[in-house]
Amino acid sequence: MSGFLKLLARNRLALAGGIVMALVVLLALVTPLLPLADPDVTNTGARFQPPFSEGALLGTDHLGRDLLSRLLWGTRLSLAVGFAAAIAAATIGAAVGIVSGFYGGRTDNLIMRGVDMLMAFPYILLALAIVAALGPGLLNALIAVAAVNVPFFARNIRGITVGLAHREFVDAARLSGLSNARIILSEILPNVIPVIVIAMSTTIGWMILETAGLSFLGLGSQPPQADLGSMLGEARSALITNPHTSVVPGLMILIIVMSINLLGDGVRDALDPRLKSGALSRPMAATRVDRRGPVPESAGQGLLEVQELQTQFHVKDRVYRAVGGVSLHVEPGECLGLIGESGSGKSVTALSVMGLVASPPGVITGGAVRYEGEDLIGAPYGRLRDMRGRNVAYIFQDPLATLHPLYRVGDQLIEAIRAHRPIGRREGQARALELLKSVRIPNPEKRLTDYPHELSGGMRQRIGIAMALANEPDVIIADEPTTALDVTVQAQILALLDDLRRERGLAIVFITHDFGVVAQLCDRVAVMYAGRIVEEGPTQAILERPLHPYTARLMACVPELGTGKRRLEAIPGLPPVVDRLPKGCAFAERCTRAQPDCRKGEIDLYRAGPRAVRCIHPEAPLQEAAE
Amino acid sequence: MSIALKLTDLSKSFAVGRRLFGGPVGHVHAVHPITLEVPQGETLGIVGESGCGKSTLARLLVGLIAPTTGSIEIDGAALDNANPAIFGKRIQYVFQDPISSLNPRKTIRQIMESPLKRLHGMGKAERDRRISEIFASVNLREEFLERYPHEFSGGQAQRIGIARALAAQASILILDEPVSALDVSVQAQVLNLLADLKAEFGLTYLFISHDLAVVEAVSDRIAVLYFGSVVELGPAEEVFRAPRHPYTKLLADSAPVVGRPLKAPEQKGTELPDPLNPPPGCAFAARCPRASDRCRAEVPRLEAAGGTTQVACFHPLT
């Protein structure tokens, strides 16, 4: 709650609106206590007194009634009716929406078609018809305004409820023995209340305006009772001769509606989780670079060389060191496995290479990424864009999310080619066909005109690979490309990647959490933990004789097919959070070999021959293992 | 050993393409009739790829959806009208995604209390005592009870999900991919916890997963599901070591195993059959190297094929 108020207060306009609104409401609340003239007593002798005259601060109206008094009493009434209408509309609308969304099927169909019928009438006409049927009067105006706003709430809330009703926690509540009514009250309602509040905060100003509109037409409050709309209506005839009688209520309506709308927008922004997480702020085209300290010299290793790379996420006052000094390299035709658990920084390392980490909040704070010796960190965006896809291409985990759902896959392939080479449509078509053949998609001519949703997961991932190959890159970074796939499909995709790198001399950086996959595909492997590489070496050697205790324990956790029913090894505890990394070895907390010196200070990556390990008490001596 | 769970011809089909007037356009048979017995204290692993009907079967078993045909018997008593509140006391469900199975706006205590209150009608003091007991057996600290779901890691949230299932005091747990959203190191913690709980409370598990190695490591018997039917059912140590059904063999050969060279066991880009228009014979025939004309015309039944293994195939591997 205090977090919400803080967010709200950060928005200056909303804060101003809130203060003005609070003042108006306060004034309306204390009106009966103020020494005001009776708002309804006429004094035709003192008609149309100008403002600031004796005994009438804002002057008097056409019947000589005190305008200030009428204004305050009128505001009080208008606010009360507006709020009451909003609450009535929100309650009825939310109830209709929740019932309709929760039960679905026929119930939903019947209710929503009814709501659609209400919405088919022009707005003000419907309100007029309701008042005409019920007869004029403030209460009837309230009913009319509430009724015309019900569909807005009902549709909004129904949409949210449909999404919630199929969530797993609703099933879990059913299995806990809750009845439908209880599920609606205790599971659904608490989750839609923020949406109701948001919808209310943005419509309440509008409802006050509508009530005023009905009163203006003489259908709302009846004389002599004052509300803002009826005051305007009565003053209309004297608009030219005595403008102050209409300016006074008009200004008040303006103030109320403006302040409510500003406040409402602020409330919406502060409550909407998407806005809070910054989803609407567009990330920069390339990751922000803020390198302090010297840029490491090129060691001349590999086609792609990452040196002491540091990538951080700056969220509010916290700094998450997602990648804390990672060095790796990959040669043409080689496959490097990057293995680690979630949060170990493997994906962020991969995305940092081409500056694809979203900024904000991502910042590259140190190190270098060299492609054929050229440092890409801090390279101009034009250069990065030129290289993305042409020199270094990516394959992502979920091809359904990376392919555009509304374009045919063939057109998306051609677009990928055209981003780097100006080619004609016919040539592009031919090239796309060739690409689909190279990733062994059956019936490629037909597949070119398919949309992504018409393809199976395995076929979509083949398209993803074809797109990565489109511009014949030298390096492919594959971020868990088979994790979302079934095991039979995974085997096909892995075999395809293996063939491609042998045929074309591709360098592949393969990110995964699966030792089985690494063992089958990768020549070398680097193990990451808490943002750093803890062990590196030839795959076979590491699998046979892991040196870092983490590698050894992690391998022991993985069940292997063909060994029957048994108890698995587990690593107790959790990986450290990367905004509070411990001093010394990050794994020491969970390690059985940890000694006091593990927690003292920075531990280096010791190298010997092809192997490297970041541990001072490894499972076996490094030198021995390297021989 | 008594039979904990007995399924007789259990099936589910969904109507698709509902029209305003008249019947639906077609039916999708998500689960073909399954007859199965699970003895008390067994862990039955159910494996299959996406779209094979695993999750539909799980939801049928806990009464979240009503079966099209067939019946479910638990401890000898038939449960025929799908009502989670009645099923809940006997059979419980542990969800795949631990975080989204917990209501984000309820504290853990409120989540834990609902099955105790609604299914067993316990009073306040008794509930508190029970929650303490359960939390102790799943190794969670009681201070977690006042927190909200988003404050927990995946592994902790999954323990809470298991604790909730235990609170209902059901003797059968359906574990629907309970560790596939977790990291490897945490996965082993949860699997071991499940093994301990099973021994402590004498539970029966149905362990659904796509990860063959995990299923093999935890199960007594394994059922292989393909296109809504059980194609092979046998002891865990047998099924993947010596597969009888060609599909089981394809699965076993596809799993990445350390030390086995990489080769695609199936080069043809074959896909699952169209559920709206299923083939007349064996659903696997189009992908099967051993398929004959009989396979394409007739559906094989699940039958004993020597030993304790049952297989639905006219030409099983030996």
Side-chain angles (χ1 to χ4, degrees):
Chain A
M1 191 67 202
S2 68
F4 161 70
L5 288 178
K6 253 186 225 155
L7 267 175
L8 190 61
R10 267 221 308 242
N11 183 340
R12 290 290 155 81
L13 279 174
L15 186 66
I19 291 170
V20 173
M21 195 59 222
L23 285 177
V24 173
V25 170
L26 190 73
L27 213 55
L29 285 176
V30 299
T31 300
L33 308 176
L34 296 178
L36 293 167
D38 188 318
D40 298 334
V41 170
T42 55
N43 176 8
T44 37
R47 298 172 64 201
F48 293 127
Q49 296 272 328
F52 308 113
S53 41
E54 180 78 42
L57 194 57
L58 292 179
T60 57
D61 69 359
H62 63 293
L63 295 175
R65 296 175 293 199
D66 182 36
L67 261 184
L68 177 66
S69 170
R70 280 183 76 75
L71 179 74
L72 288 181
W73 283 100
T75 303
R76 196 176 146 86
L77 198 62
S78 283
L79 280 180
V81 173
F83 277 107
I87 288 169
T91 313
I92 298 169
V96 169
I98 288 178
V99 167
S100 169
F102 183 77
Y103 288 99
R106 290 236 157 76
T107 319
D108 183 33
N109 228 329
L110 274 176
I111 294 181
M112 290 326 285
R113 294 302 81 78
V115 167
D116 287 349
M117 262 150 64
L118 267 184
M119 287 191 100
F121 288 100
Y123 213 45
I124 195 75
L125 212 63
L126 182 61
L128 286 176
I130 294 172
V131 176
L134 298 175
L138 205 49
L139 188 67
N140 294 342
L142 189 157
I143 291 170
V145 170
V148 298
N149 280 291
V150 162
F152 168 76
F153 283 95
R155 297 188 73 131
N156 232 334
I157 303 301
R158 175 196 169 263
I160 304 293
T161 311
V162 167
L164 286 170
H166 298 288
R167 290 277 295 276
E168 293 188 330
F169 67 81
V170 174
D171 283 341
R174 281 217 174 89
L175 291 167
S176 297
L178 268 67
S179 61
N180 279 339
R182 267 191 202 285
I183 289 176
I184 286 178
L185 286 179
S186 78
E187 309 289 322
I188 305 279
L189 189 62
N191 285 293
V192 296
I193 279 184
V195 185
I196 301 179
V197 172
I198 290 168
M200 246 173 92
S201 66
T202 49
T203 48
I204 195 163
W206 182 234
M207 290 199 222
I208 291 175
L209 218 51
E210 280 167 23
T211 324
L214 287 178
S215 291
F216 177 84
L217 297 174
L219 298 168
S221 76
Q222 297 302 306
Q225 196 181 34
D227 84 341
L228 295 174
S230 64
M231 283 173 73
L232 263 182
E234 288 162 3
R236 189 185 41 179
S237 51
L239 188 62
I240 306 297
T241 50
N242 293 288
H244 72 275
T245 48
S246 22
V247 167
V248 164
L251 263 181
M252 185 52 106
I253 289 177
L254 180 75
I255 289 171
I256 291 175
V257 175
M258 275 286 275
S259 61
I260 285 188
N261 284 349
L262 288 176
L263 180 66
D265 285 353
V267 168
R268 184 195 58 206
D269 290 357
L271 276 181
D272 194 327
R274 280 177 312 156
L275 296 166
K276 215 177 348 188
S277 63
L280 292 189
S281 66
R282 216 156 65 98
M284 284 154 54
T287 311
R288 194 158 71 84
V289 175
D290 181 14
R291 269 196 292 197
R292 309 216 173 98
V295 177
E297 283 296 311
S298 170
Q301 269 185 316
L303 177 61
L304 181 75
E305 187 181 13
V306 176
Q307 298 169 296
E308 289 304 314
L309 178 74
Q310 295 191 23
T311 306
Q312 304 181 340
F313 291 99
H314 295 186
V315 182
K316 286 184 202 153
D317 45 357
R318 288 201 174 165
V319 175
Y320 295 88
R321 291 171 217 285
V323 179
V326 163
S327 302
L328 47 87
H329 64 95
V330 58
E331 306 281 351
E334 186 187 38
C335 180
L336 171 72
L338 195 56
I339 198 164
E341 297 182 84
S342 49
S344 63
K346 51 192 195 308
S347 292
V348 179
T349 304
L351 291 174
S352 300
V353 169
M354 282 282 115
L356 290 171
V357 177
S359 277
V363 187
I364 295 176
T365 54
V369 172
R370 293 182 194 279
Y371 179 82
E372 290 181 329
E374 178 191 355
D375 188 9
L376 303 179
I377 303 289
Y381 170 61
R383 177 74 187 130
L384 277 179
R385 189 176 159 191
D386 188 42
M387 295 188 72
R388 287 176 183 174
R390 204 180 55 166
N391 299 95
V392 180
Y394 285 84
I395 303 169
F396 294 100
Q397 177 174 343
D398 183 1
L400 191 57
T402 47
L403 292 173
H404 196 296
L406 297 182
Y407 290 99
R408 298 175 195 280
V409 294
D411 293 344
Q412 297 191 52
L413 274 170
I414 294 170
E415 191 192 6
I417 304 167
R418 278 181 147 169
H420 293 286
R421 277 182 291 161
I423 52 167
R425 181 135 194 100
R426 188 173 296 258
E427 199 187 333
Q429 202 88 20
R431 175 85 183 114
L433 195 62
E434 199 181 304
L435 283 168
L436 290 195
K437 279 183 187 152
S438 70
V439 293
R440 298 194 206 113
I441 286 182
N443 208 350
E445 291 83 1
K446 192 197 158 290
R447 291 302 183 199
L448 274 180
T449 54
D450 277 353
Y451 289 98
H453 72 265
E454 295 176 286
L455 302 171
S456 67
M459 286 300 142
R460 279 198 293 264
Q461 193 56 289
R462 280 169 204 259
I463 303 278
I465 295 173
M467 204 176 266
L469 292 174
N471 293 291
E472 299 182 341
D474 306 309
V475 181
I476 284 193
I477 298 179
D479 191 352
E480 307 242 14
T482 58
T483 306
L485 303 177
D486 282 326
V487 18
T488 52
V489 182
Q490 165 171 296
Q492 294 167 13
I493 297 286
L494 291 179
L496 172 66
L497 281 173
D498 197 42
D499 289 350
L500 287 173
R501 78 159 161 137
R502 289 186 202 287
E503 285 164 16
R504 306 181 176 216
L506 279 174
I508 298 181
V509 178
F510 194 96
I511 299 169
T512 182
H513 63 275
D514 189 333
F515 273 104
V517 171
V518 163
Q520 290 189 315
L521 187 66
C522 301
D523 307 306
R524 280 189 306 127
V525 56
V527 183
M528 282 191 79
Y529 188 75
R532 320 197 72 169
I533 289 182
V534 293
E535 179 160 9
E536 195 193 317
T539 309
Q540 210 50 42
I542 288 191
L543 289 175
E544 274 164 21
R545 199 171 187 187
L547 292 180
H548 199 283
Y550 173 64
T551 318
R553 304 282 309 266
L554 190 63
M555 279 165 55
C557 286
V558 184
E560 223 176 281
L561 197 62
T563 39
K565 189 179 177 183
R566 74 200 170 278
R567 201 171 171 83
L568 297 161
E569 293 287 325
I571 310 179
L574 293 170
V577 188
V578 286
D579 68 329
R580 283 185 307 249
L581 284 175
K583 213 174 146 195
C585 175
F587 187 62
E589 262 329 288
R590 305 169 76 187
C591 184
T592 48
R593 300 176 69 86
Q595 307 280 332
D597 57 346
C598 292
R599 297 190 177 88
K600 285 249 168 65
E602 191 73 356
I603 291 166
D604 291 329
L605 189 66
Y606 300 98
R607 285 189 182 275
R611 300 203 62 172
V613 63
R614 194 184 292 278
C615 182
I616 45 180
H617 302 289
E619 301 276 325
L622 176 63
Q623 290 299 338
E624 198 181 292
E627 278 158 16
Chain B
M1 242 189 316
S2 62
I3 299 299
L5 178 69
K6 186 177 174 195
L7 314 180
T8 315
D9 281 332
L10 191 71
S11 78
K12 179 72 192 175
S13 60
F14 294 102
V16 288
R18 212 179 272 283
R19 288 175 293 198
L20 192 55
F21 300 106
V25 176
H27 289 272
V28 169
H29 293 274
V31 176
H32 292 277
I34 286 180
T35 301
L36 197 67
E37 286 182 357
V38 186
Q40 164 76 36
E42 185 184 68
T43 299
L44 175 69
I46 297 175
V47 290
E49 298 185 280
S50 47
C52 73
K54 304 188 291 270
S55 294
T56 308
L57 178 62
R59 291 169 64 81
L60 275 175
L61 290 177
V62 290
L64 281 171
I65 47 179
T68 309
T69 65
S71 63
I72 302 169
E73 264 178 49
I74 295 174
D75 296 327
L79 296 175
D80 29 38
N81 61 328
N83 181 353
I86 296 170
F87 276 60
K89 276 195 224 180
R90 299 170 169 275
I91 189 162
Q92 274 289 338
Y93 194 83
V94 175
F95 292 84
Q96 174 173 3
D97 184 345
I99 303 280
S100 81
S101 71
L102 303 173
N103 186 344
R105 303 213 170 246
K106 278 179 148 183
T107 63
I108 303 305
R109 183 181 292 282
Q110 288 172 317
I111 289 171
M112 287 293 296
E113 278 189 330
S114 4
L116 297 174
K117 204 153 56 176
R118 302 289 157 222
L119 292 174
H120 295 282
M122 287 186 185
K124 177 90 182 100
E126 203 183 347
R127 285 204 301 264
D128 287 349
R129 191 179 51 75
R130 208 42 212 130
I131 290 175
S132 304
E133 279 174 20
I134 295 166
F135 259 51
S137 50
V138 296
N139 307 325
L140 284 171
R141 292 201 294 275
E142 277 187 55
E143 66 192 65
F144 288 174
L145 285 169
E146 312 311 324
R147 299 200 195 158
Y148 287 89
H150 69 264
E151 297 174 56
F152 296 96
S153 69
Q156 288 169 330
Q158 194 57 291
R159 280 165 202 269
I160 294 168
I162 293 168
R164 169 175 56 193
L166 287 178
Q169 285 176 314
S171 58
I172 306 174
L173 292 194
I174 311 283
L175 307 160
D176 187 2
E177 305 258 10
V179 295
S180 59
L182 307 179
D183 270 321
V184 206
S185 70
V186 181
Q187 169 178 315
Q189 293 174 11
V190 172
L191 291 176
N192 288 340
L193 170 71
L194 285 170
D196 293 342
L197 292 172
K198 187 180 156 192
E200 189 180 341
F201 299 110
L203 301 170
T204 305
Y205 287 163
L206 263 74
F207 193 102
I208 299 171
S209 178
H210 69 281
D211 189 329
L212 310 184
V214 166
V215 168
E216 193 192 53
V218 300
S219 309
D220 299 306
R221 281 195 304 160
I222 294 176
V224 181
L225 229 58
Y226 184 74
F227 201 60
S229 308
V230 176
V231 296
E232 183 161 354
L233 175 66
E237 63 275 13
E238 295 282 319
V239 169
F240 293 121
R241 195 179 50 77
R244 310 301 291 271
H245 196 285
Y247 176 65
T248 317
K249 180 162 170 49
L250 174 65
L251 277 183
D253 287 348
S254 301
V257 171
V258 175
R260 187 161 72 190
L262 185 63
K263 64 165 172 47
E266 188 186 36
Q267 282 298 345
K268 285 181 290 177
T270 39
E271 295 180 28
L272 283 172
D274 179 8
L276 266 175
N277 186 17
C282 171
F284 189 63
R287 298 171 71 180
C288 185
R290 304 169 73 89
S292 64
D293 287 343
R294 187 181 176 203
C295 300
R296 294 186 194 96
E298 203 181 318
V299 181
R301 305 239 152 263
L302 191 67
E303 278 161 359
T308 39
T309 302
Q310 288 174 290
V311 62
C313 182
F314 294 126
H315 312 291
L317 303 147
T318 44

